[in-house]
Amino acid sequence: MAEQNTQITAIRIQNVTKSFGTKVVANKDVTMDIYRGEILSLLGENGSGKTTLMNMLAGIYFPDSGEIFVNGKPVSIRSPYDAHALGIGMIHQHFKLVDVFTAAENVVLGLKEEGKFNLAAAGKRIKEICDAYGFDIHPEQKVYDMTVSQKQTLEIVKALYRGAEILILDEPTAVLTPQEADKLFSVLRNMKAAGKTVIIITHKLQEVLAISDRVAILRKGEFVGAVPTSEATELSLTEMMVGKKVELNIERPDPVDPTLRLQVRNLSCHNHEGLPVLQNVNFDIYGGEIFGIAGISGCGQKELLEAIAGLQRVDENSEIIYDAPDGKRESLIGKSPKKIKEMGVSLSFVPEDRLGMGLVGSMGMVGNMLLKDYRRGHTPLTETKPSKELAEEVREELEVVTPSLNTPVRRLSGGNVQKVLVGREIAAAPAVLLTAYAVRGLDINTSYTIYHLLNEQKKKGVAVVYVGEDLDVLLALSDKILVLCGGKVSGLVDARTTTKEEIGYLMTNLPEEVHTDAKPEEAAKEDGQQ
Amino acid sequence: MIIWIQKAISFAAFIMLAALGELLSERSGSLNLGTPGTLCVGASVGFITAFNYCKSVETPNMFELLVLILLSSFAAGAIMGIIFAFFTVSLRINQNVVGLVMTILGTGLAEFLSVYFIESTTGNVRCDPAYYLFTAKIPFLSDKLGIVSDLLFNYGFMFYVTIVLAVVMMLFLNRTRAGLNLRSVGENPGTADAAGISVSKYRYLAAGIGSGISGLAGIYCVLEFKSGAWATSDIITIEAFGWLAVALVIFAMWKPLNLLWGSFVFGICYWAYLYLPNLLGVKMSDDLTRMLPYIITIVVLIVVSLRKKKENLGPEALGLSYFREER
Amino acid sequence: MSKTKEVKAKEPLFHIVARDVMHPGASFGIRVAAFVVALLLSALFVWVTVKVDLITFLKTMFRGAFGMDKVFEAEGFENAWTALLSSYMWATLKAAAKLLIIAVALGPAFKMRFWNVGAEGQVIIGAMAAAFVMYHYSTMPGPLLLLVMLVVSILAGGIWGLIPAFFKTKLNTNETLFTLMMNYIAMKIADYFYNLWRGAKSALGMINQTSRAGWLRSLWSGKDAAWFRNEDLWFMIIVLVFTVLMFFYLKSTKQGYEIAVVGESHNTARYAGISVTKVMLRTMAISGAICGICGFLLVSSQSHTINSAMAGGFGFTAIIVAWLSKFNSFTMIGTSVLIVALQNGSMLMANTYSDRGFSPSAADVIVAIMLLMVIGCEFFIKYRVMFKHSAKEAKA
């Protein structure tokens, strides 16, 4: 495929840098070419800057420095409208569609065409586009009646209708079933055949190999290189994507006397659209160990933790059994967080969405320390004194920088917000500590503080679950690593012996046979409590 | 029975006109609770204009009078709408709060202006030329067709204007590019913005023009429904009609053509106490029948949220300010 | 092929960014400034229409709002008290109390981000329930009658608040529209009973005019001091008690805490094990119940009768008060007094200059101008307007 390319440069990105705030550099001095008529995969881990880079082509962001050339001419793309004018269309992960409008209405929305407004004519053109590429949407169909896949198709039609020659798709298969993904790929091939340039942002290796002509790899905001797909293997791509192993100076004490704390059996659940997000997940967590969970984002990590915490409805036959240190066994299925707490299960949870779920942004540290304990005491009044003391303690021990204990936590920096949250959850003296992306967006120092805190908990015999995205950290911190891929377990490895490549491979590949260590007979005994 | 229907229709017409204005504004995402006030201002300004014009000339030129009345009412309403838009769109203040203040302003202003410019604080003031103008019936059609005349051609020109406007509004919203843009702003301003549509522009225009239409409804109410008599004590009644118009928009599920029969239902309810008892031979309170429009509006509200059919739930961004996040 | 056209960057003249939180002093300053601008604007309006100069305007406004004619000149407490009762100050305090209790009732609902615009109806239905008991069971012993009136008012107001909340939690019905409609249903019910009880009379008049059954003052005997028997005073005291209670309810109780969390984020509430549905229903029941109590107080201590206008639009004005006060009960005291003071001050303006073409409605206009300014200034507290500098235009 690649050799047929005439290799005319459609877009050239030259020395482009983009940063957010002062700390986060999303793209650093990226220089790369995109050829006309090719399907290019932009590969990289989460947070490697793929989407930011493409957003600069689509007019969402503007580069801090560097230049963009389209068809050899330097351009300045300041709005999506500018991007359209240059023939660039981007399909974002969050669709920009009006639900109550028909497909045709959505397509023509905002177009400044000359002449009479004629939806029927637009509908005809849409039909033509659909026929040409094999799309299965009808111009009269309402968006709210569409499947996710159809909505995505509609976004593509929208871009094509606007005369897009270069199409950027941001993780298009993340929301699709395998069958739908296959269909999308055949559509993309049709588009390539029609001379369009297609860029897909992805981190799924199989897709890269299946569809693209060339792969460009980004790592930590920097351009690593581009190779023709024909010359790439999953292994070589993984290596480029994850890079060489970086030695981190994170301590890893050996687990002391690990005891079974949490058993998860046949855990399955579905999202709002009815798509499965977790399928038959099985594992055991022991007290005194750090249980790492790796996976591309959106592979069910969030649902997994929320299911344990009592915030996610799970399918029938799922089992989560808590083994208390005193030997009592309790099923957590179908219990609300309040119920779980009342049962005496000391479960702490540091959710991914810190201000939207873990904390109350408008309240100060004291108010937030109260969040899980506000029911304390027998009077109708809240007891703020212990919370005030706790807030003081957390501020001191974790060095939280805040003007006062009553300053709304929303106004604190990301690192301090996380310290408040982690501080509160640890102070509850949990038996199980669930953490989701505990160090996301934090600077190195704060990150190490968090690692240290987790290790402290581990030494106390707490079962710590660490969902992370940085493989180096996962490898250095965890005792075991569970790898999720598309809502299924693709592997459970020993963090001390495994390699980064192995995990990278598992993250993107589901083994033929998912081996589990489920013990259905044993688990079934606990069923009665539901 | 026929009188009942006639009365219901003539009541329906100006409520519908007011509702059309509110509907336009709501389709752009602005829940304008200032509409009752706007109605009053439109009525007051329109009447003042007519009254003073008739006083200033010997024989009023009917065409000039008409233009003056319509223009002044519309402009007065539109200004109310633009003030509303300034506070809710540009300053992003909560729509409910601004709307309620606008209703205080509108009712106050209506009375103040009328006292100030007509110089009579009590009793009815009439402006007969304007009244004749608004109640003039179509010759032939209005008396030669028997029951058809009685039911369909027994109203002033505004009745027909209102119906045409409802159809035009439907066509505008569904068949034009601007209408599509306007609806997108009311449904999903983020998407509209991304598509290059100016959310502010559409919301300003919709509130301005919509309130202008509501202003027209105010003068229509005075000159036809109130038989051309104006008294400051009527303002409270007109305000109540304004709230009924807000209810009607919901009842019509935000669709212009539904207003046609929706307003008729409201009209029937409004007059039911006069005619229904005779027909059924029971005693009935006007207060309870006049409660019906609100009750059926609530029922509609519940039923549409039960059915969860998205078109009927009203514009998705209704009542919400739009603020593009900048990073 | 795509057209490669030079895209000219159009930078807007200014752009608007959300502020974190403004310094309390600065935000207070902005509000005061807005108030001053509003006063000047109103003065201008007055000057243009009735040619009254600024000083006279301010003096008249102040007198109409807080005037205490003959109170200090009066000899002895009894006389001063009598003078106070007929002073402008007293009228302002009385009306402010009425506005305040409704705003206080709305506080928890708004804090929960539930747009209850149905206070007017909740007050009226509460008043209606009280009046119903008062009308039909006037032979009950005084204290018991009042107690029953209170209970039915609470129930009526609470139910009136619960209905929209129920549909909100079950079907996610738009609560603004729902509560709005509920107002008019309540008003029509009041109209209905008004006309029913009025019978052939031209007006209903006070209920139990002679027996005074169900009147708050029936609780006290003639032996008590005059000030002690004053129903207005008790009305104000009760309102203040509720204000203080509500402040601590929101600030220091578990339920108040739950309201704050639900208002901030439903997800956080779930995370903390708070049932959003339960909190929403309970809070709206409380909000409606306090409105109901307000209705009870109006009937038992103020009007002693019922009509659909008895809330006087305060149910709507209270929304503005609650919003401006950021749901803080104590701030509401000041805000209510201020708004009523404006209303009464303007009313005196209107009455004084009615011969120059001013009508009582001019008061509404002045109040509306003031409110628009004060509301509008919130924008400058929440956002910062930044003008673009050419520096940003520098070539990328």
Side-chain angles (χ1 to χ4, degrees):
Chain A
M1 279 185 270
E3 55 281 332
Q4 292 166 357
N5 245 309
T6 43
Q7 307 246 319
I8 305 167
T9 306
I11 299 181
R12 183 174 174 77
I13 297 169
Q14 196 169 306
N15 305 106
V16 164
T17 296
K18 175 77 188 171
S19 49
F20 296 112
T22 45
K23 279 184 196 140
V24 191
V25 181
N27 288 124
K28 198 171 156 197
D29 203 20
V30 174
T31 300
M32 64 181 276
D33 287 334
I34 296 147
Y35 301 125
R36 194 176 295 164
E38 71 171 347
I39 299 182
L40 174 76
S41 292
L42 193 56
L43 185 69
E45 285 183 299
N46 292 316
S48 57
K50 310 178 295 276
T51 304
T52 309
L53 187 67
M54 289 301 112
N55 272 335
M56 285 189 275
L57 295 182
I60 308 287
Y61 299 140
F62 195 76
D64 295 341
S65 65
E67 277 184 283
I68 295 168
F69 298 84
V70 174
N71 295 327
K73 291 188 188 140
V75 292
S76 157
I77 311 171
R78 288 192 180 262
S79 72
Y81 204 74
D82 293 345
H84 291 157
L86 293 166
I88 301 170
M90 181 157 169
I91 285 89
H92 298 272
Q93 274 184 292
H94 298 284
F95 305 137
K96 297 242 175 245
L97 297 170
V98 180
D99 271 355
V100 297
F101 282 11
T102 63
E105 285 174 326
N106 267 293
V107 168
V108 299
L109 185 66
L111 276 182
K112 297 178 179 70
E113 281 175 328
E114 299 292 317
K116 210 172 142 270
F117 178 66
N118 191 340
L119 262 184
K124 232 177 107 200
R125 264 193 67 195
I126 293 166
K127 201 95 196 79
E128 283 166 21
I129 294 174
C130 291
D131 291 344
Y133 298 104
F135 297 137
D136 68 334
I137 54 170
H138 192 269
E140 302 297 315
Q141 201 176 358
K142 298 263 186 184
V143 171
Y144 61 76
D145 280 334
M146 292 184 180
T147 62
V148 183
S149 147
Q150 284 177 309
K151 288 181 191 173
Q152 184 181 60
T153 311
L154 180 55
E155 286 281 10
I156 298 175
V157 173
K158 228 167 103 179
L160 293 174
Y161 191 91
R162 282 163 171 70
E165 291 296 322
I166 301 156
L167 216 66
I168 306 167
L169 296 102
D170 191 358
E171 300 195 19
T173 56
V175 290
L176 302 182
T177 63
Q179 295 79 5
E180 287 170 335
D182 285 343
K183 215 153 107 194
L184 174 73
F185 289 162
S186 74
V187 164
L188 294 183
R189 284 191 199 99
N190 289 345
M191 290 179 26
K192 173 181 142 78
K196 312 267 181 202
T197 309
V198 178
I199 306 170
I200 47 174
I201 301 176
T202 181
H203 39 220
K204 298 185 185 167
L205 292 178
Q206 285 148 324
E207 286 176 8
V208 171
L209 295 172
I211 181 86
S212 59
D213 302 323
R214 226 158 49 91
V215 196
I217 293 126
L218 287 184
R219 187 170 66 223
K220 300 201 162 123
E222 291 180 61
F223 180 70
V224 179
V227 289
T229 310
S230 49
E231 295 164 22
T233 63
E234 291 195 9
L235 203 65
S236 70
L237 290 178
T238 307
E239 266 172 23
M240 287 178 85
M241 189 165 89
V242 297
K244 287 276 164 291
K245 188 177 175 202
V246 184
E247 281 304 326
L248 292 168
N249 195 12
I250 301 174
E251 65 169 327
R252 173 160 50 193
D254 283 325
V256 184
D257 185 24
T259 44
L260 186 63
R261 188 57 43 81
L262 207 59
Q263 284 175 282
V264 174
R265 294 286 175 273
N266 303 320
L267 182 62
S268 305
C269 67
H270 291 78
N271 65 7
H272 295 301
E273 267 117 26
L275 294 175
V277 278
L278 283 177
Q279 294 177 50
N280 272 324
V281 172
N282 296 283
F283 58 85
D284 293 325
I285 303 174
Y286 290 84
E289 68 173 15
I290 293 186
F291 189 80
I293 296 180
I296 301 300
S297 77
C299 281
Q301 297 96 318
K302 177 170 169 277
E303 288 77 7
L304 179 56
L305 295 195
E306 290 189 0
I308 298 173
L311 294 165
Q312 167 76 43
R313 188 187 293 271
V314 296
D315 293 357
E316 254 179 279
N317 300 328
S318 301
E319 287 179 48
I320 301 170
I321 292 142
Y322 170 76
D323 291 78
D326 61 12
K328 267 209 330 235
R329 306 190 74 200
E330 309 262 17
S331 167
L332 302 185
I333 296 290
K335 308 278 198 309
S336 71
K338 187 180 165 200
K339 191 85 207 288
I340 290 176
K341 197 175 162 71
E342 282 168 2
M343 288 182 342
V345 178
S346 49
L347 192 78
S348 279
F349 179 26
V350 177
E352 178 181 356
D353 186 359
R354 293 162 201 166
L355 285 172
M357 184 177 239
L359 296 168
V360 188
S362 60
M363 291 184 188
M365 278 184 72
V366 177
N368 274 298
M369 290 304 146
L370 203 54
L371 186 64
K372 283 197 153 171
D373 293 317
Y374 77 95
R375 292 187 189 87
R376 180 174 45 215
H378 297 293
T379 67
L381 300 180
T382 50
E383 289 176 3
T384 44
K385 210 168 154 247
S387 302
K388 206 172 279 172
E389 285 163 8
L390 177 60
E392 196 62 65
E393 210 179 292
V394 169
R395 169 152 89 165
E396 213 145 284
E397 283 185 12
L398 301 189
E399 294 166 344
V400 178
V401 182
T402 171
S404 92
L405 290 179
N406 291 314
T407 307
V409 291
R410 184 182 286 130
R411 290 172 59 195
L412 308 184
S413 72
N416 286 310
V417 167
Q418 184 68 327
K419 283 180 187 171
V420 173
L421 178 53
V422 172
R424 182 189 70 206
E425 292 306 300
I426 287 176
V432 178
L433 173 62
L434 309 171
T435 65
Y437 308 107
V439 298
R440 181 183 284 176
L442 306 189
D443 60 40
I444 299 291
N445 279 334
T446 317
S447 301
Y448 273 82
T449 311
I450 303 284
Y451 303 144
H452 178 71
L453 287 171
L454 297 183
N455 273 325
E456 289 293 303
Q457 293 301 305
K458 172 182 171 180
K459 285 183 207 158
K460 281 185 194 161
V462 177
V464 180
V465 176
Y466 180 86
V467 173
E469 43 199 353
D470 188 329
L471 294 185
D472 291 317
V473 174
L474 272 168
L475 284 170
L477 184 69
S478 319
D479 296 298
K480 291 176 191 153
I481 299 175
L482 179 83
V483 189
L484 289 176
C485 176
K488 294 180 187 158
V489 175
S490 60
L492 180 64
V493 294
D494 182 346
R496 286 178 177 78
T497 54
T498 188
T499 62
K500 205 170 170 183
E501 286 73 22
E502 186 187 6
I503 295 179
Y505 184 81
L506 287 170
M507 276 163 70
T508 49
N509 285 281
L510 216 51
E512 292 298 307
E513 225 175 317
V514 182
H515 59 276
T516 57
D517 47 354
K519 302 173 194 97
E521 318 82 13
E522 204 184 299
K525 280 184 227 155
E526 308 301 320
D527 228 350
Q529 297 189 33
Q530 297 184 33
Chain B
M1 182 74 188
I2 287 183
I3 308 176
W4 184 12
I5 293 174
Q6 267 184 10
K7 279 207 163 194
I9 289 179
S10 86
F11 177 86
F14 74 86
I15 294 279
M16 177 162 99
L17 189 59
L20 271 173
E22 174 73 15
L23 185 141
L24 185 67
S25 169
E26 288 194 18
R27 287 305 285 266
S28 79
S30 296
L31 178 64
N32 187 352
L33 296 185
T35 293
T38 308
L39 220 59
C40 299
V41 171
S44 172
V45 171
F47 191 82
I48 291 167
T49 313
F51 184 79
N52 284 323
Y53 173 78
C54 292
K55 232 172 60 176
S56 66
V57 291
E58 290 269 313
T59 41
N61 173 327
M62 283 302 185
F63 180 70
E64 273 178 31
L65 178 63
L66 179 66
V67 170
L68 275 176
I69 292 177
L70 295 184
L71 218 60
S72 60
S73 298
F74 184 87
I79 290 170
M80 292 288 285
I82 287 166
I83 297 176
F84 175 82
F86 175 72
F87 279 91
T88 55
V89 178
S90 296
L91 298 187
R92 297 175 195 140
I93 310 290
N94 183 288
Q95 291 181 1
N96 298 335
V97 172
V98 178
L100 292 172
V101 176
M102 291 308 288
T103 286
I104 297 177
L105 179 71
T107 49
L109 209 56
E111 188 174 341
F112 171 77
L113 292 174
S114 124
V115 172
Y116 194 76
F117 287 104
I118 300 186
E119 285 154 17
S120 160
T121 43
T122 48
N124 278 350
V125 190
R126 297 194 58 83
C127 180
D128 287 326
Y131 170 56
Y132 298 138
L133 189 62
F134 269 67
T135 47
K137 300 186 172 67
I138 308 168
F140 182 77
L141 285 182
S142 61
D143 51 2
K144 299 279 162 39
L145 298 177
I147 193 160
V148 180
S149 291
D150 287 345
L151 286 181
L152 289 181
F153 297 106
N154 215 346
Y155 316 97
F157 75 96
M158 280 299 276
F159 173 71
Y160 308 100
V161 169
T162 304
I163 289 179
V164 170
L165 197 60
V167 176
V168 168
M169 184 90 77
M170 187 276 285
L171 291 176
F172 165 75
L173 286 173
N174 295 324
R175 300 281 158 81
T176 68
R177 189 167 293 140
L180 183 73
N181 292 351
L182 182 113
R183 283 188 289 139
S184 75
V185 166
E187 292 290 344
N188 192 337
T191 295
D193 192 28
I197 297 163
S198 165
V199 175
S200 307
K201 187 178 105 187
Y202 275 95
R203 288 200 168 170
Y204 261 96
L205 281 173
I209 296 172
S211 295
I213 295 173
S214 299
L216 287 179
I219 190 63
Y220 178 27
C221 169
V222 173
L223 290 180
E224 185 163 340
F225 188 73
K226 291 265 172 208
S227 314
W230 168 255
T232 49
S233 56
D234 284 342
I235 287 177
I236 194 158
T237 323
I238 299 179
E239 187 193 343
F241 290 158
W243 291 117
L244 212 50
V246 175
L248 179 56
V249 176
I250 306 161
F251 182 69
M253 296 181 287
W254 294 270
K255 291 190 185 64
L257 291 189
N258 283 356
L259 289 177
L260 291 172
W261 62 268
S263 60
F264 180 69
V265 171
F266 277 31
I268 289 285
C269 290
Y270 189 81
W271 290 114
Y273 76 99
L274 266 186
Y275 304 99
L276 203 55
N278 284 340
L279 289 175
L280 301 178
V282 289
K283 237 173 87 72
M284 199 173 272
S285 154
D286 58 333
D287 298 313
L288 294 186
T289 54
R290 283 179 183 179
M291 191 199 296
L292 278 177
Y294 301 110
I295 293 182
I296 53 181
T297 302
I298 287 184
V299 171
V300 167
L301 208 54
I302 294 171
V303 168
V304 295
S305 36
L306 215 109
R307 302 234 324 267
K308 291 194 166 41
K309 190 150 186 284
K310 274 215 150 187
E311 288 102 329
N312 298 339
L313 286 173
E316 215 173 307
L318 185 63
L320 306 175
S321 298
Y322 176 64
F323 181 33
R324 185 199 297 170
E325 292 294 334
E326 292 183 39
R327 292 181 69 156
Chain C
M1 273 300 96
S2 59
K3 296 173 287 183
T4 326
K5 73 171 189 197
E6 264 324 298
V7 185
K8 237 199 344 220
K10 17 178 216 263
E11 290 281 300
L13 198 59
F14 57 85
H15 71 155
I16 293 158
V17 279
R19 283 182 205 274
D20 277 352
V21 163
M22 206 179 197
H23 188 264
S27 63
F28 187 71
I30 287 190
R31 289 197 181 99
V32 169
F35 183 67
V36 171
V37 171
L39 266 184
L40 293 178
L41 258 177
S42 312
L44 186 71
F45 164 73
V46 169
W47 170 251
V48 169
T49 49
V50 291
K51 299 278 174 295
V52 172
D53 64 85
L54 178 67
I55 301 296
T56 319
F57 168 72
L58 291 180
K59 266 187 175 162
T60 317
M61 285 288 285
F62 187 80
R63 179 160 171 262
F66 303 117
M68 291 201 281
D69 306 1
K70 297 186 208 139
V71 173
F72 299 110
E73 297 84 45
E75 288 189 18
F77 177 76
E78 290 289 319
N79 291 335
W81 176 251
T82 318
L84 179 67
L85 289 188
S86 53
S87 70
Y88 292 114
M89 180 66 146
W90 190 255
T92 299
L93 292 179
K94 209 164 82 176
K98 178 171 156 191
L99 184 57
L100 176 59
I101 190 169
I102 307 176
V104 164
L106 289 176
F110 285 6
K111 186 155 189 179
M112 195 176 62
R113 305 250 166 98
F114 185 100
W115 273 100
N116 177 14
V117 297
E120 187 94 357
Q122 289 151 16
V123 171
I124 290 174
I125 208 71
M128 190 54 238
F132 188 86
V133 174
M134 189 169 157
Y135 187 88
H136 284 289
Y137 304 97
S138 56
T139 50
M140 243 189 252
L144 180 66
L145 176 62
L146 276 165
L147 187 70
V148 175
M149 280 165 65
L150 176 67
V151 170
V152 294
S153 293
I154 290 175
L155 285 178
I159 289 170
W160 223 245
L162 261 181
I163 295 171
F166 173 79
F167 286 102
K168 170 84 181 176
T169 53
K170 282 276 169 280
L171 299 171
N172 202 19
T173 316
N174 183 323
E175 78 270 22
T176 312
L177 303 174
F178 203 125
T179 48
L180 191 66
M181 296 301 119
M182 293 292 281
N183 286 331
Y184 298 96
I185 295 177
M187 284 183 205
K188 291 295 167 195
I189 291 177
D191 275 338
Y192 172 74
F193 281 100
Y194 178 86
N195 289 325
L196 188 72
W197 293 339
R198 174 173 63 91
K201 284 183 285 179
S202 66
L204 176 58
M206 291 191 188
I207 301 171
N208 303 343
Q209 175 83 55
T210 44
S211 70
R212 297 198 171 166
W215 293 28
L216 199 58
R217 73 175 75 155
S218 69
L219 287 181
W220 293 281
S221 70
K223 276 175 285 176
D224 293 319
W227 65 267
F228 186 79
R229 280 179 285 136
N230 188 290
E231 286 178 326
D232 295 344
L233 184 69
W234 284 105
F235 177 55
M236 289 180 212
I237 290 172
I238 294 170
V239 170
L240 276 181
V241 168
F242 269 102
T243 310
V244 174
L245 286 180
M246 182 53 76
F247 181 82
F248 287 107
Y249 175 71
L250 288 179
K251 187 174 179 289
S252 309
T253 68
K254 293 174 182 172
Q255 298 193 356
Y257 186 82
E258 289 178 341
I259 291 172
V261 176
V262 170
E264 178 75 17
S265 154
H266 287 193
N267 252 341
T268 306
R270 282 193 327 124
Y271 170 82
I274 298 169
S275 159
V276 175
T277 306
K278 193 176 127 196
V279 171
M280 212 172 252
L281 291 175
R282 185 181 66 208
T283 308
M284 270 311 285
I286 289 173
S287 183
I290 298 178
C291 285
I293 291 173
C294 173
F296 161 77
L297 289 172
L298 290 180
V299 167
S300 65
S301 79
Q302 301 284 305
S303 64
H304 306 299
T305 186
I306 176 81
N307 64 61
S308 63
M310 67 182 314
F314 274 25
F316 294 114
T317 315
I319 294 167
I320 302 164
V321 173
W323 188 80
L324 275 176
S325 311
K326 298 277 169 302
F327 328 130
N328 179 322
S329 312
F330 285 152
T331 319
M332 285 176 195
I333 300 178
T335 317
S336 323
V337 170
L338 189 71
I339 287 184
V340 172
L342 283 172
Q343 244 165 16
N344 289 358
S346 327
M347 196 59 90
L348 183 64
M349 270 302 295
N351 291 335
T352 314
Y353 299 100
S354 59
D355 53 333
R356 298 194 200 175
F358 246 39
S359 56
S361 53
D364 286 342
V365 179
I366 295 176
V367 170
I369 293 175
M370 299 268 185
L371 288 178
L372 281 181
M373 288 300 127
V374 177
I375 288 168
C377 84
E378 293 296 314
F379 170 79
F380 296 97
I381 292 168
K382 259 168 113 179
Y383 302 99
R384 186 202 308 266
V385 180
M386 306 236 293
F387 291 91
K388 286 260 163 142
H389 297 298
S390 45
K392 266 207 129 180
E393 281 291 309
K395 211 174 151 226

